[in-house]
Amino acid sequence: MNNDLNDIFDKKQLEGNPFKVPNGYFETLNSRIMDNVAQYEKLHGKKETIKAKHISMRPFRWAAACACVLVVATSAFIFSNKYNESQDVVATTQQYAAVSDDAFNQAADYTMLDNHDMYQMLAEE
């Protein structure tokens, strides 16, 4: 196998540029291409270009804008309902705390305990 590679990649063959172009090839390339195009058009006739149909994007923009407004309005409605529910919970909790404080104060008045006595009882536990 090593001998096969040496045969293929002979150093003498790789020296210099292996690609050769005839003299004047690139100077006449443009005129030859234009001649071929002219001959093709004579044989097949000149093809008319097909214009793409223009699709207006305005209705899609309006639909996207309506969808965005709908999403924002729905989220605002849901948020406001949850905010109101949380406000109701806070108000109920505050009312319960006020009632609880009143009941504690009434119990303290009934037992005739002052702050010092309450602290002493709590410290004993």
Side-chain angles (χ1 to χ4, degrees), residues 24-39:
Y25 179 80
F26 288 108
E27 287 81 13
T28 61
L29 180 64
N30 191 26
S31 62
R32 285 185 288 132
I33 290 174
M34 294 307 290
D35 291 340
N36 287 340
V37 169
Q39 285 178 353

Side-chain angles (χ1 to χ4, degrees), residues 10-52:
D10 188 17
K11 289 184 181 179
K12 290 179 184 177
Q13 292 175 350
L14 295 178
E15 288 178 1
N17 189 359
F19 303 104
K20 301 206 188 253
V21 178
N23 290 335
Y25 179 80
F26 288 108
E27 287 81 13
T28 61
L29 180 64
N30 191 26
S31 62
R32 285 185 288 132
I33 290 174
M34 294 307 290
D35 291 340
N36 287 340
V37 169
Q39 285 178 353
Y40 182 82
E41 286 178 353
K42 283 181 187 176
L43 292 175
H44 299 288
K46 188 172 183 178
K47 303 285 182 181
E48 292 185 24
T49 57
I50 299 172
K51 293 183 180 180

Side-chain angles (χ1 to χ4, degrees), residues 93-112:
T93 306
Q94 289 174 347
Q95 289 172 354
Y96 179 73
V99 169
S100 171
D101 287 341
D102 288 340
F104 181 76
N105 288 337
Q106 287 176 358
D109 289 341
Y110 181 76
T111 57
M112 297 184 176

